Amino acid sequence: MSRPIVIVGAGVIGLDVALLLAEQGYGPSITVIAEHLPGDTSINYTSPWAGANFSAISGGDANALRWDKYGYQHMMKLAEEHGTEACISKTPSFEYWDELPSKTKIESMSGYLEDFAMLDIKDIPKGCQFGVSFTTITVNAPRYIQYLYRLLQEQYGVQFVRQRLPSIKAGFSDISTKIVFNCTGNGARHLPGVEDAKSYPTRGQILLTKAPQITKNVMRHGKDYETYIIPRPQSNGSVILGGYMQKGVSTGDTFSRESESIVERTTTLLPELLTPGMEVLAAFSGLRPSREGGARVERTSIQLDELRNGILVHNYGAGGTGFQAGLGMARDAVNAVEDVLRSISREKSRL
Ligand SMILES: Cc1cc2nc3c(=O)[nH]c(=O)nc-3n(C[C@H](O)[C@H](O)[C@H](O)COP(=O)(O)OP(=O)(O)OC[C@H]3O[C@@H](n4cnc5c(N)ncnc54)[C@H](O)[C@@H]3O)c2cc1C
Ligand SMILES: *[C@@H]1O[C@H](CO)[C@@H](O)[C@H](O)[C@H]1NC(C)=O
Ligand SMILES: *[C@@H]1O[C@H](CO)[C@@H](O)[C@H](O)[C@H]1NC(C)=O
Ligand SMILES: *[C@@H]1O[C@H](CO)[C@@H](O)[C@H](O)[C@H]1NC(C)=O
Ligand SMILES: *[C@@H]1O[C@H](CO)[C@@H](O)[C@H](O)[C@H]1NC(C)=O
């Protein structure tokens, strides 16, 4: 079996790269190598722990604005065409800020978000300075990555191998490998060959609750806190409540005082949670793979031995926005190796 394209990592970031390449006809040339695969749960595997929704929480730099726009448009289409199988749905969303958000950010988002409106000050919670409403995308994170996993194998012939690589060079162990995509999330900090000191985890704790009466997404962005309510599509009434953004904290433990704070903040923000009532099913903790300066999507080359250089594309550090920005990041990662891809054969049927 030859392995022209290797993707290390099977979180949403690696799966998004596989999806874009498979859509271009490269499915049978792709091998995804990962220690954790969709369906697994581990503190070292962030994707199953996400809310997840599309929100204005992402950064205001040019990359983030572009990735968000592409991700939103792609996922709205997915919600329309395959929403049920993919566990993605369009959901009304309300976001509030204690302090005014960046103008560039709001201007960019207002240009493409469906049903975008700025809210009147009398319609936003006390203590907030600004609010918007729009139609967002909510994603049942663990089910969505399992959907991509099945789709990639069954419809596109992508191979998955469960293996922990000792270094990024090991991704090139097959002589036929031309490109390796490094989509290792938090693994990036310690993986020999990558060892990115700018990478750090941002811990979040969330509650999985049952509250079928909730049909909208609500977020409040505080100066040093984040409170949010996200209904999970195709889940029979599950709602995710959060949250926390703890920079540099890497414990997978959950804390009852944090659960209490989440319940208090979310029920204040959305009292409908208490009518007729909600049931707290579980508390989880997840580590957002963050990076100073934002995500790294970059082509580099790595010396494998005297004769051989490998093409390595970094794609990690998505932080709190891997679901909303992942497809845009994947597009940049794939575009960076267009010249190399031309030498790899494609399935004619998909061209
Ligand atoms: C509480 C919480 C809420 C969130 N909510 C949202 C949200 O609403 N919207 C949103 O967009 N994002 C959200 N996020 C962020 C999102 O979950 C992350 O950005 C995303 O999951 C990162 O994906 P990833 O593929 O980079 O990393 P991961 O999912 O961690 O995947 C890393 C992969 O690399 C593999 N790997 C690592 N090292 C090695 C190695 N040496 N050898 C082999 N394999 C290796 C792992 O096994 C795994 O397969 C949230 C995160 C948390 C914690
Ligand atoms: C998670 O990864 C860290 C760093 O590689 C490792 O020390 C730890 O044992 C891992 N934890 C689990 C539960 O796999
Ligand atoms: C909602 O989305 C933002 C950005 O995508 C994310 O940081 C936040 O954690 C999400 N909320 C939940 C409950 O996942
Ligand atoms: C892959 O990216 C991670 C994240 O920064 C990094 O630590 C690691 O060194 C990279 N691996 C390789 C082989 O480049
Ligand atoms: C959905 O939840 C209700 C009430 O909790 C339960 O009676 C029903 O069987 C569930 N349906 C599915 C498909 O899980």
Side-chain angles (χ1 to χ4, degrees):
M1 258 315 264
S2 86
R3 288 185 177 175
I5 303 172
V6 168
I7 297 170
V8 187
V12 69
I13 297 299
L15 297 171
D16 279 346
V17 171
L19 181 66
L20 291 199
L21 287 169
E23 284 174 351
Q24 294 180 21
Y26 294 108
S29 301
I30 303 172
T31 306
V32 179
I33 302 176
E35 182 180 6
H36 306 98
L37 296 170
D40 293 1
T41 50
S42 162
I43 190 63
N44 287 337
Y45 188 32
T46 305
S47 295
W49 307 121
N53 68 110
F54 178 97
S55 102
I57 200 172
S58 48
D61 57 285
N63 278 341
L65 297 181
R66 198 160 39 91
W67 293 334
D68 277 355
K69 181 175 177 184
Y70 185 74
Y72 182 80
Q73 289 170 340
H74 208 107
M75 290 177 99
M76 288 297 265
K77 200 163 152 251
L78 192 59
E80 280 159 23
E81 293 170 2
H82 301 285
T84 314
E85 310 95 273
C87 297
I88 288 195
S89 80
K90 296 188 182 186
T91 311
S93 187
F94 298 82
E95 291 196 32
Y96 310 117
W97 283 261
D98 287 4
E99 292 180 342
L100 285 178
S102 116
K103 219 170 151 216
T104 347
K105 173 96 192 166
I106 299 301
E107 268 167 15
S108 165
M109 294 180 79
S110 68
Y112 64 86
L113 293 178
E114 286 185 17
D115 309 309
F116 181 87
M118 295 200 205
L119 299 172
D120 200 280
I121 194 91
K122 70 176 189 325
D123 297 329
I124 67 179
K126 241 182 113 204
C128 295
Q129 292 200 35
F130 187 72
V132 300
S133 64
F134 61 96
T135 296
T136 193
I137 292 289
T138 48
V139 184
N140 184 328
R143 300 259 303 267
Y144 174 61
I145 57 172
Q146 289 180 58
Y147 160 78
L148 291 178
Y149 185 44
R150 280 193 310 274
L151 179 80
L152 289 165
Q153 292 178 95
E154 291 165 12
Q155 287 196 27
Y156 293 108
V158 172
Q159 299 291 316
F160 282 81
V161 176
R162 182 189 292 280
Q163 191 187 345
R164 179 182 163 82
L165 295 182
S167 71
I168 199 73
K169 268 192 190 176
F172 291 94
S173 62
D174 193 288
I175 192 77
S176 66
T177 299
K178 292 188 172 154
I179 313 171
V180 170
F181 289 90
N182 178 17
C183 308
T184 51
N186 283 311
R189 190 175 176 91
H190 300 292
L191 187 61
V194 186
E195 289 151 315
D196 186 341
K198 288 186 180 155
S199 291
Y200 62 90
T202 301
R203 180 181 170 277
Q205 179 162 321
I206 52 173
L207 297 180
L208 175 66
T209 65
K210 194 155 179 113
Q213 72 274 25
I214 303 301
T215 53
K216 62 184 177 191
N217 187 78
V218 185
M219 314 195 55
R220 179 166 176 169
H221 308 288
K223 191 168 174 222
D224 50 12
Y225 68 92
E226 288 286 339
T227 300
Y228 49 80
I229 296 134
I230 302 177
R232 237 176 202 184
Q234 310 296 326
S235 70
N236 197 16
S238 295
V239 176
I240 297 294
L241 305 182
Y244 283 90
M245 299 286 265
Q246 297 163 336
K247 213 176 150 172
V249 177
S250 60
T251 174
D253 295 348
T254 56
F255 301 98
S256 56
R257 60 166 195 283
E258 293 189 347
S259 297
E260 285 156 20
S261 164
I262 291 171
V263 168
E264 198 219 302
R265 287 184 278 136
T266 53
T267 54
T268 305
L269 188 61
L270 189 65
E272 276 164 73
L273 280 167
L274 298 171
T275 51
M278 63 164 174
E279 194 187 339
V280 176
L281 303 174
F284 299 116
S285 150
L287 308 178
R288 303 172 179 92
S290 313
R291 187 170 177 273
E292 279 163 47
R296 180 176 184 203
V297 182
E298 189 189 353
R299 171 178 173 167
T300 56
S301 109
I302 177 170
Q303 177 105 39
L304 301 172
D305 54 43
E306 284 103 76
L307 296 171
R308 200 166 154 239
N309 270 324
I311 291 166
L312 176 65
V313 184
H314 292 289
N315 188 11
Y316 61 82
T321 62
F323 283 79
Q324 73 182 53
L327 285 161
M329 290 167 62
R331 190 176 58 163
D332 284 2
V334 168
N335 285 347
V337 286
E338 232 181 337
D339 55 326
V340 192
L341 288 170
R342 258 183 250 126
S343 69
I344 297 173
S345 67
R346 295 209 240 183
E347 283 180 293
K348 297 272 180 306
S349 61
R350 306 217 186 256
L351 298 183

